[in-house]
PDB file of all heavy atoms in Angstrom:
ATOM      1  N   ILE Y  47     103.976 122.838 123.131  1.00 95.00           N
ATOM      2  CA  ILE Y  47     103.100 121.765 123.511  1.00 95.00           C
ATOM      3  C   ILE Y  47     103.866 120.847 124.440  1.00 95.00           C
ATOM      4  O   ILE Y  47     104.991 120.420 124.179  1.00 95.00           O
ATOM      5  CB  ILE Y  47     102.703 120.920 122.266  1.00 95.00           C
ATOM      6  CG1 ILE Y  47     101.961 121.785 121.236  1.00 95.00           C
ATOM      7  CG2 ILE Y  47     101.817 119.734 122.661  1.00 95.00           C
ATOM      8  CD1 ILE Y  47     100.529 122.089 121.575  1.00 95.00           C
ATOM      9  N   ARG Y  48     103.262 120.558 125.601  1.00 96.00           N
ATOM     10  CA  ARG Y  48     103.896 119.742 126.624  1.00 96.00           C
ATOM     11  C   ARG Y  48     103.445 118.291 126.399  1.00 96.00           C
ATOM     12  O   ARG Y  48     102.231 118.013 126.357  1.00 96.00           O
ATOM     13  CB  ARG Y  48     103.630 120.235 128.000  1.00 96.00           C
ATOM     14  CG  ARG Y  48     104.068 121.649 128.298  1.00 96.00           C
ATOM     15  CD  ARG Y  48     103.445 122.133 129.587  1.00 96.00           C
ATOM     16  NE  ARG Y  48     101.978 122.089 129.564  1.00 96.00           N
ATOM     17  CZ  ARG Y  48     101.203 121.920 130.622  1.00 96.00           C
ATOM     18  NH1 ARG Y  48     101.737 121.793 131.810  1.00 96.00           N
ATOM     19  NH2 ARG Y  48      99.896 121.902 130.492  1.00 96.00           N
ATOM     20  N   VAL Y  49     104.384 117.417 126.289  1.00 97.00           N
ATOM     21  CA  VAL Y  49     104.066 115.988 126.050  1.00 97.00           C
ATOM     22  C   VAL Y  49     104.574 115.096 127.132  1.00 97.00           C
ATOM     23  O   VAL Y  49     105.703 115.225 127.571  1.00 97.00           O
ATOM     24  CB  VAL Y  49     104.708 115.541 124.687  1.00 97.00           C
ATOM     25  CG1 VAL Y  49     104.376 114.056 124.390  1.00 97.00           C
ATOM     26  CG2 VAL Y  49     104.174 116.417 123.531  1.00 97.00           C
ATOM     27  N   GLY Y  50     103.714 114.183 127.569  1.00 96.00           N
ATOM     28  CA  GLY Y  50     104.170 113.144 128.512  1.00 96.00           C
ATOM     29  C   GLY Y  50     104.243 111.813 127.775  1.00 96.00           C
ATOM     30  O   GLY Y  50     103.576 111.645 126.736  1.00 96.00           O
ATOM     31  N   VAL Y  51     105.040 110.907 128.235  1.00 97.00           N
ATOM     32  CA  VAL Y  51     105.220 109.633 127.549  1.00 97.00           C
ATOM     33  C   VAL Y  51     105.019 108.488 128.513  1.00 97.00           C
ATOM     34  O   VAL Y  51     105.694 108.378 129.544  1.00 97.00           O
ATOM     35  CB  VAL Y  51     106.659 109.535 126.974  1.00 97.00           C
ATOM     36  CG1 VAL Y  51     106.913 108.123 126.400  1.00 97.00           C
ATOM     37  CG2 VAL Y  51     106.860 110.627 125.905  1.00 97.00           C
ATOM     38  N   ILE Y  52     104.041 107.657 128.234  1.00 97.00           N
ATOM     39  CA  ILE Y  52     103.769 106.492 129.038  1.00 97.00           C
ATOM     40  C   ILE Y  52     104.249 105.257 128.301  1.00 97.00           C
ATOM     41  O   ILE Y  52     103.783 104.923 127.227  1.00 97.00           O
ATOM     42  CB  ILE Y  52     102.255 106.373 129.326  1.00 97.00           C
ATOM     43  CG1 ILE Y  52     101.721 107.588 130.045  1.00 97.00           C
ATOM     44  CG2 ILE Y  52     102.003 105.070 130.164  1.00 97.00           C
ATOM     45  CD1 ILE Y  52     100.220 107.637 130.158  1.00 97.00           C
ATOM     46  N   GLY Y  53     105.273 104.609 128.855  1.00 96.00           N
ATOM     47  CA  GLY Y  53     105.858 103.455 128.188  1.00 96.00           C
ATOM     48  C   GLY Y  53     107.205 103.872 127.558  1.00 96.00           C
ATOM     49  O   GLY Y  53     107.207 104.578 126.556  1.00 96.00           O
ATOM     50  N   THR Y  54     108.301 103.364 128.148  1.00 95.00           N
ATOM     51  CA  THR Y  54     109.606 103.763 127.630  1.00 95.00           C
ATOM     52  C   THR Y  54     110.314 102.567 127.009  1.00 95.00           C
ATOM     53  O   THR Y  54     111.513 102.423 127.076  1.00 95.00           O
ATOM     54  CB  THR Y  54     110.489 104.290 128.804  1.00 95.00           C
ATOM     55  OG1 THR Y  54     110.557 103.340 129.847  1.00 95.00           O
ATOM     56  CG2 THR Y  54     109.916 105.603 129.309  1.00 95.00           C
ATOM     57  N   GLY Y  55     109.510 101.767 126.345  1.00 92.00           N
ATOM     58  CA  GLY Y  55     110.083 100.587 125.634  1.00 92.00           C
ATOM     59  C   GLY Y  55     110.792 101.003 124.322  1.00 92.00           C
ATOM     60  O   GLY Y  55     111.061 102.200 124.081  1.00 92.00           O
ATOM     61  N   HIS Y  56     111.023 100.049 123.513  1.00 90.00           N
ATOM     62  CA  HIS Y  56     111.795 100.201 122.308  1.00 90.00           C
ATOM     63  C   HIS Y  56     111.307 101.401 121.464  1.00 90.00           C
ATOM     64  O   HIS Y  56     112.092 102.265 121.074  1.00 90.00           O
ATOM     65  CB  HIS Y  56     111.741  98.917 121.511  1.00 90.00           C
ATOM     66  CG  HIS Y  56     112.175  99.051 120.093  1.00 90.00           C
ATOM     67  ND1 HIS Y  56     113.496  98.943 119.699  1.00 90.00           N
ATOM     68  CD2 HIS Y  56     111.456  99.219 118.948  1.00 90.00           C
ATOM     69  CE1 HIS Y  56     113.545  99.098 118.404  1.00 90.00           C
ATOM     70  NE2 HIS Y  56     112.387  99.231 117.902  1.00 90.00           N
ATOM     71  N   ILE Y  57     110.021 101.429 121.130  1.00 93.00           N
ATOM     72  CA  ILE Y  57     109.529 102.405 120.168  1.00 93.00           C
ATOM     73  C   ILE Y  57     109.579 103.826 120.739  1.00 93.00           C
ATOM     74  O   ILE Y  57     109.871 104.817 120.022  1.00 93.00           O
ATOM     75  CB  ILE Y  57     108.084 102.052 119.702  1.00 93.00           C
ATOM     76  CG1 ILE Y  57     107.778 102.768 118.364  1.00 93.00           C
ATOM     77  CG2 ILE Y  57     107.046 102.377 120.712  1.00 93.00           C
ATOM     78  CD1 ILE Y  57     108.588 102.318 117.177  1.00 93.00           C
ATOM     79  N   ALA Y  58     109.353 103.925 122.044  1.00 95.00           N
ATOM     80  CA  ALA Y  58     109.453 105.265 122.628  1.00 95.00           C
ATOM     81  C   ALA Y  58     110.910 105.737 122.715  1.00 95.00           C
ATOM     82  O   ALA Y  58     111.223 106.874 122.358  1.00 95.00           O
ATOM     83  CB  ALA Y  58     108.828 105.278 124.022  1.00 95.00           C
ATOM     84  N   ARG Y  59     111.765 104.819 123.091  1.00 93.00           N
ATOM     85  CA  ARG Y  59     113.189 105.166 123.319  1.00 93.00           C
ATOM     86  C   ARG Y  59     113.892 105.435 122.034  1.00 93.00           C
ATOM     87  O   ARG Y  59     114.713 106.363 121.954  1.00 93.00           O
ATOM     88  CB  ARG Y  59     113.803 103.916 123.970  1.00 93.00           C
ATOM     89  CG  ARG Y  59     114.964 104.169 124.872  1.00 93.00           C
ATOM     90  CD  ARG Y  59     115.304 102.917 125.656  1.00 93.00           C
ATOM     91  NE  ARG Y  59     115.552 101.766 124.826  1.00 93.00           N
ATOM     92  CZ  ARG Y  59     114.915 100.577 124.952  1.00 93.00           C
ATOM     93  NH1 ARG Y  59     113.961 100.434 125.879  1.00 93.00           N
ATOM     94  NH2 ARG Y  59     115.185  99.580 124.212  1.00 93.00           N
ATOM     95  N   GLN Y  60     113.614 104.680 120.990  1.00 93.00           N
ATOM     96  CA  GLN Y  60     114.391 104.747 119.779  1.00 93.00           C
ATOM     97  C   GLN Y  60     113.816 105.679 118.735  1.00 93.00           C
ATOM     98  O   GLN Y  60     114.491 106.090 117.805  1.00 93.00           O
ATOM     99  CB  GLN Y  60     114.582 103.372 119.161  1.00 93.00           C
ATOM    100  CG  GLN Y  60     115.392 102.437 120.079  1.00 93.00           C
ATOM    101  CD  GLN Y  60     116.014 101.299 119.362  1.00 93.00           C
ATOM    102  OE1 GLN Y  60     115.882 101.150 118.176  1.00 93.00           O
ATOM    103  NE2 GLN Y  60     116.724 100.469 120.116  1.00 93.00           N
ATOM    104  N   VAL Y  61     112.494 105.993 118.867  1.00 95.00           N
ATOM    105  CA  VAL Y  61     111.916 106.828 117.841  1.00 95.00           C
ATOM    106  C   VAL Y  61     111.127 108.016 118.413  1.00 95.00           C
ATOM    107  O   VAL Y  61     111.484 109.188 118.155  1.00 95.00           O
ATOM    108  CB  VAL Y  61     110.960 106.025 116.889  1.00 95.00           C
ATOM    109  CG1 VAL Y  61     110.626 106.905 115.670  1.00 95.00           C
ATOM    110  CG2 VAL Y  61     111.644 104.751 116.433  1.00 95.00           C
ATOM    111  N   HIS Y  62     110.081 107.738 119.245  1.00 96.00           N
ATOM    112  CA  HIS Y  62     109.232 108.823 119.713  1.00 96.00           C
ATOM    113  C   HIS Y  62     110.025 109.903 120.449  1.00 96.00           C
ATOM    114  O   HIS Y  62     109.910 111.080 120.175  1.00 96.00           O
ATOM    115  CB  HIS Y  62     108.115 108.328 120.567  1.00 96.00           C
ATOM    116  CG  HIS Y  62     106.974 107.724 119.843  1.00 96.00           C
ATOM    117  ND1 HIS Y  62     106.069 108.484 119.096  1.00 96.00           N
ATOM    118  CD2 HIS Y  62     106.555 106.462 119.731  1.00 96.00           C
ATOM    119  CE1 HIS Y  62     105.186 107.699 118.531  1.00 96.00           C
ATOM    120  NE2 HIS Y  62     105.427 106.462 118.938  1.00 96.00           N
TER     121      HIS Y  62
END
Side-chain angles (χ1 to χ4, degrees):
Chain Y
I47 300 283
R48 299 169 302 152
V49 178
V51 174
I52 301 171
T54 55
H56 164 85
I57 199 67
R59 209 169 54 236
Q60 296 201 1
V61 193
H62 280 291

